Structures are given as structure tokens and as C-alpha cells.
Amino acid sequence: MSLPGDLVVADEVNVLTAYLPELAPHDRDRVDDYVARASAESTLRAYQSDWRLFCAWCAENGYRSLPATPAIVAAFLTLLAERGFVPQAPQQSGGGRAAVAKPLGRSTIGRRLAAIVFAHRAAGVDPPTHQRDAARLDKAMRAIRRDKRDDPSGKKRPADGDVLRDMLRTISGDDLRAYRDRALLAIGMAGAFRRSELVAITVGRVSDEARGLLVRVPTSKTDQEGRGHSVAIPDGRRLEPVRHYRAWLEKAAIDSGPVFRKLTPQGRLTDHPMSAQGVALVVKAAARSAGYPEALFSGHSLRAGFLTEAGRQNANLFKMREHSRHASIDMVAEYVRDHERFREHAGEGFL
């Protein structure tokens, strides 16, 4: 395009088109594979489950799931807020019982929406949050958050120093399962590990140091690009994580591969790593044996327990963040804030 003064403006659309041909199938597959791996595996699994649930609801009600309009998504999310949803097809819960619909909390509903948005973007279509009537969906979500603001917190109880000590004391057996579970609990808490990080530990990523162990975490929830972290596990005298770790490896004769492995129902060792759900089951079982309500504990209790106990012992917040590999100080402070409310209280001198 020529303008007065001999200024030439390139036709950018035509120019770019010439340099952006349609990808060959093998190139497209490679790009799609890398795009899919941009999110953590646990996040993708959760999104897949949420998306299947939304598709089932749409199928039962005659709605189109892709692309879904803001009104359709708002109807689904408000249903979840009021009474929940379980597909008509028979489904079983983790305990073998039929799933029962119940109202969901705002964080779970928010994740359902995130999964729907993710699926739309993966399919190359505008997500409901960016369509013309998106204001309707936005207002529905704001109302859900407001109505749910007084719901009880879904946070599980942290397995702090005292709780974990009680858990370890109840595992008194001399078989493989007892050795593994003691090491799992002690290392999980000492390293403030996420469940996915804990079951991914291999012998090759653990090195012996003069004062304990150094565990290499190649990637994590807050390190999607794989820069990696080295987590120091001190040779503690109270919970003894290093001793339990070494005792487990010696008992199971493990010298390579996954550290925390599945056991058969008969207690025989396998070559396969434990699942994240398996970690949660061990924590719950130990809590029950120690006399605590198992419903208050989860796999995350080990990670939360380290941060809670560290805050109670006046540990430096920056050192806590470095050890737990959190993205921000604010996230770490959440674990110690309740305890801090009573320290140097303004009314301590006269109440």
C-alpha cells in the first residue's frame, strides 16, 4: 500500500500468511504434545475429571458442551453450588459406595470452571469467559463466591511435630510395610513434600551429606520449567527422618529406582512407585491408629505439618519458603497465621 511521501506500508496479513503455512501432521502432533505437557500431570488429571463431569451433565440435559455458552456454564456451576451433580450412569466413590450429589465449595466450583475454560482453549475455541455474554457467567460466579464465603474451611489438619511423633509411634511392626510407612511419613514431613514430589523420589536423586540427606526435586507445581530444587533433610533426633529412610532402603534392599514403592496386599515389594492417593491412605491410617480423626488428615498434612511446626518454632519465613518451594511468602504465612494471632497479643497484659 503506497501513501503520499513514498511511505510504503506492507500488507501484514498477506506477508504473514506466506510464512505461516498449515503445519504438517507430524509437526502439529509434536506441538500439541508439548502444549499438553505445559501443565502439571495432577492438574491435567483433575481437569479431565471435571470436563467429563460437565460433558455428562450437558448430555443429560441436551446442551452442547463445546463450545458451551456462558449461560450453559452458569447453569452447571450454580447447580453445583446448590445441590451438586452426579451423572446418572452408575459411579462408585473411593470407598466402593455409590457417589452422592452434594453442594460443592467455591474452590472446587472454581476449578470446574477452570477445567471448562482449559478444554475450550485446547480445542481452539473461545471459552465461555470470553464470549459475548460472559458478564452473565461472571456475575453468577461472584454470587457463588459471596454465598459460599461463610462455608467451613476444607483445610485438613497439619501433622505437626507432636502429631507426627504420635503417628510414628503407632507403626511398631518389623515388616516391610511398617518400615516403608515410617520412612514415608518422616521424609514427607521433613521435606515439606507435596504428594507428587514424595512418590517421585528415586534413589539416584538422594545424596548423603554430613548433616543428613539432600533430595533433588527436578520439577514441581511451582517449577513447571524444571529448574529443580535441592531439599535438605536434617538428621533429626526426634522424628529421625534420615534413620527411617536408611532403615527402609536396607530392609527392602532398594539400591535404585523409586524409593517409596507399592506393596502387594501380602506385603511383597514391587518395582512400582506409590500413588499420591497411596500416600493419603498411609497418613489417614496412621492418624487413626494414633487416635486422631482420620477425616481431618490427608496427604497434604505432612507438608502443612512442617510449615506449621516451623512457624511455631519461630523459623524464618524466607527459609520456610525456600524449603517448601512455595511461589510466595504469603502462601507460607497462611500456615502460621493462626498461631501468630496469639503471640504478643495486644490484650495480653490486661485480659
Side-chain angles (χ1 to χ4, degrees):
M1 179 183 300
S2 297
L3 297 177
D6 294 329
L7 176 63
V8 177
V9 180
D11 186 341
E12 294 186 6
V13 175
N14 291 333
V15 170
L16 288 175
T17 300
Y19 290 96
L20 290 175
E22 285 295 319
L23 289 175
H26 64 278
D27 288 328
R28 186 185 306 113
D29 290 343
R30 186 177 65 254
V31 172
D32 289 345
D33 178 60
Y34 271 81
V35 170
R37 286 152 53 189
S39 298
E41 289 184 13
S42 57
T43 301
L44 290 177
R45 284 195 299 268
Y47 281 178
Q48 288 169 351
S49 175
D50 294 339
W51 176 246
R52 283 194 295 267
L53 196 69
F54 176 64
C55 290
W57 177 80
C58 287
E60 290 181 15
N61 291 275
Y63 296 133
R64 186 173 61 180
S65 58
L66 189 73
T69 66
I72 290 175
V73 177
F76 175 65
L77 299 181
T78 52
L79 175 70
L80 298 181
E82 283 192 358
R83 59 179 184 271
F85 169 72
V86 172
Q88 292 178 0
Q91 289 202 349
Q92 299 293 320
S93 66
R97 300 180 299 274
V100 178
K102 58 182 179 180
L104 301 182
R106 59 182 181 178
S107 61
T108 304
I109 294 173
R111 196 191 73 192
R112 298 276 197 271
L113 174 59
I116 294 170
V117 170
F118 182 89
H120 278 69
R121 285 177 172 158
V125 298
D126 286 339
T129 52
H130 286 71
Q131 294 176 21
R132 199 168 77 177
D133 195 28
R136 179 192 299 266
L137 176 56
D138 180 62
K139 289 179 180 178
M141 278 302 299
R142 276 191 282 154
I144 289 172
R145 295 188 188 102
R146 184 181 65 247
D147 291 347
K148 299 280 183 178
R149 64 175 178 261
D150 294 328
D151 284 0
S153 172
K155 289 183 178 179
K156 299 296 184 178
R157 180 172 175 177
D160 58 23
D162 291 337
V163 172
L164 196 72
R165 177 202 57 200
D166 294 342
M167 288 182 175
L168 291 173
R169 286 176 175 174
T170 66
I171 309 174
S172 56
D174 195 38
D175 57 5
L176 279 175
R177 194 175 304 277
Y179 273 83
R180 184 202 66 180
D181 291 354
R182 284 192 292 264
L184 182 77
L185 295 177
I187 291 292
M189 192 271 205
F193 289 116
R194 299 177 177 89
R195 294 181 304 168
S196 58
E197 297 170 345
L198 188 56
V199 298
I201 296 175
T202 61
V203 174
R205 292 174 183 163
V206 182
S207 58
D208 287 292
E209 303 290 333
R211 299 178 59 182
L213 303 173
L214 204 59
V215 181
R216 181 68 177 172
V217 179
T219 185
S220 65
K221 180 179 178 180
T222 54
D223 179 29
Q224 293 296 304
E225 296 181 5
R227 295 186 180 90
H229 298 274
S230 291
V231 181
I233 309 293
D235 189 8
R237 297 179 180 178
R238 188 184 186 209
L239 303 178
E240 303 181 290
V242 176
R243 183 180 72 81
H244 286 306
Y245 169 82
R246 290 171 176 163
W248 158 240
L249 291 189
E250 182 179 354
K251 178 73 174 180
I254 296 175
D255 56 13
S256 63
V259 169
F260 299 111
R261 303 185 182 189
K262 291 181 180 178
L263 300 176
T264 67
Q266 296 76 27
R268 290 193 292 270
L269 188 70
T270 73
D271 293 331
H272 305 293
M274 293 179 65
S275 66
Q277 180 62 22
V279 175
L281 293 176
V282 171
V283 173
K284 287 178 174 293
R288 182 175 62 251
S289 298
Y292 297 103
E294 65 175 281
L296 298 181
F297 292 85
S298 70
H300 184 70
S301 295
L302 300 178
R303 179 171 169 82
F306 176 89
L307 293 167
T308 300
E309 189 65 39
R312 189 174 293 152
Q313 301 298 328
N314 299 318
N316 181 283
L317 272 177
F318 290 96
K319 294 293 291 184
M320 291 169 61
R321 175 179 175 266
E322 178 185 3
H323 187 72
S324 65
R325 304 155 317 275
H326 271 95
S328 69
I329 287 290
D330 288 341
M331 293 297 294
V332 176
E334 282 292 324
Y335 293 91
V336 299
R337 190 163 287 136
D338 287 343
H339 178 70
E340 289 286 342
R341 295 183 199 281
F342 292 93
R343 183 177 294 167
E344 298 181 0
H345 193 282
E348 189 171 338
F350 61 86
L351 293 180

